[in-house]
Amino acid sequence: MSTAPVKVDYYFSAMSSFAYVGNAAFHAMAKRLSLDVTYRPVKLGEVFARSGGVAVKDRDPARLRNRLLELKRWKLHHGLEMNVEPKFFPTDPTLADLSIIAVQEAGGDAAALITAIMRKLWVEEQNIAERDVIAACLDACGEDREAVLKAADSDAIKAIYAANTERGLEVDIIGSPCVVYQGEAFWGQDRFFMAEEAILSGRAPIIIGR
């Protein structure tokens, strides 16, 4: 008897440093567990504002130093190519996020596009707010750049972006990346192993106060 794949929601922003750090690890886990992943790019600034978070540019210097320390540690741990202080960060991730949604809605390979876009920002020192940069990523992934970019500018895709943000806040995502399995949110790439344990164990989800 066949078993249906386990469904998870993956909340993130294309600009997120820790989503980049965890990108390969998440996709390895998804492949290992044969997960059915719905990618849910969110308006990360809105998530921070409504959940009590603070944008990177507005953080205390001690927190900024700690963030860079963690990025350098995880870069070493995962053996990543990464400039932890890229030229175009922060930037506006809206077009990138909308393009990822558009590709997923069209049945394309959203995972490949996510990887390509994040590499542009964190390795290749390019600005993912620029249309030409996203178009190049779409080309590299074998997507129809004009069709995707047109869809990304549509009210329908923008509505999904807004709905992802609301849906994420409802399940208590507070940053990026965040895996949600059966309503339980696992925030941070350093908690992917906990999501995997929950999936493999078959335990009931842990939901606090909702």
Side-chain angles (χ1 to χ4, degrees):
M1 182 174 66
S2 63
T3 303
V6 171
K7 296 180 180 293
V8 302
D9 288 337
Y10 188 60
Y11 293 88
F12 69 101
S13 171
M15 186 179 67
S16 167
S17 54
F18 284 99
Y20 173 72
V21 166
N23 184 59
F26 174 75
H27 288 113
M29 179 179 73
K31 182 178 181 180
R32 187 165 59 248
L33 301 183
S34 299
L35 300 180
D36 180 359
V37 180
T38 299
Y39 295 95
R40 297 193 182 277
V42 295
K43 300 177 183 181
L44 194 54
E46 188 170 337
V47 170
F48 284 157
R50 291 172 57 185
S51 66
V54 178
V56 172
K57 65 182 179 63
D58 297 323
R59 293 176 190 172
D60 179 85
R63 289 187 175 272
L64 292 174
R65 289 191 295 271
N66 186 266
R67 172 181 172 275
L68 290 176
L69 178 61
E70 286 291 288
L71 288 175
K72 289 182 178 183
R73 285 172 175 159
W74 283 107
K75 173 185 174 179
L76 290 172
H77 177 75
H78 288 305
L80 292 176
E81 286 186 90
M82 183 183 191
N83 179 0
V84 301
E85 297 183 86
K87 182 178 180 180
F88 296 104
F89 180 90
T91 190
D92 183 356
T94 302
L95 179 60
D97 287 343
L98 290 171
S99 297
I100 292 164
I101 295 169
V103 165
Q104 177 169 253
E105 289 297 298
D109 190 345
L113 182 60
I114 292 164
T115 299
I117 289 172
M118 288 183 171
R119 182 174 176 82
K120 290 292 184 186
L121 174 59
W122 295 102
V123 179
E124 299 178 14
E125 301 281 38
Q126 296 192 38
N127 187 355
I128 63 169
E130 295 179 357
R131 184 182 179 92
D132 287 349
V133 172
I134 301 303
C137 292
L138 291 165
D139 289 345
C141 293
E143 302 290 345
D144 182 336
R145 65 154 70 184
E146 295 305 322
V148 172
L149 291 171
K150 181 178 179 181
D153 194 42
S154 70
D155 289 342
I157 297 300
K158 291 175 182 177
I160 294 172
Y161 195 28
N164 284 348
T165 305
E166 292 300 321
R167 182 182 181 126
L169 287 163
E170 288 172 4
V171 294
D172 291 345
I173 71 163
I174 57 175
S176 168
C178 191
V179 175
V180 177
Y181 169 61
Q182 294 186 336
E184 182 179 346
F186 298 83
W187 171 50
Q189 58 88 29
D190 52 339
R191 293 179 180 86
F192 289 167
F193 79 96
M194 291 185 175
E196 182 164 358
E197 288 175 350
I199 292 166
L200 292 175
S201 71
R203 68 163 173 78
I206 302 170
I207 309 293
I208 307 295
R210 293 203 309 269

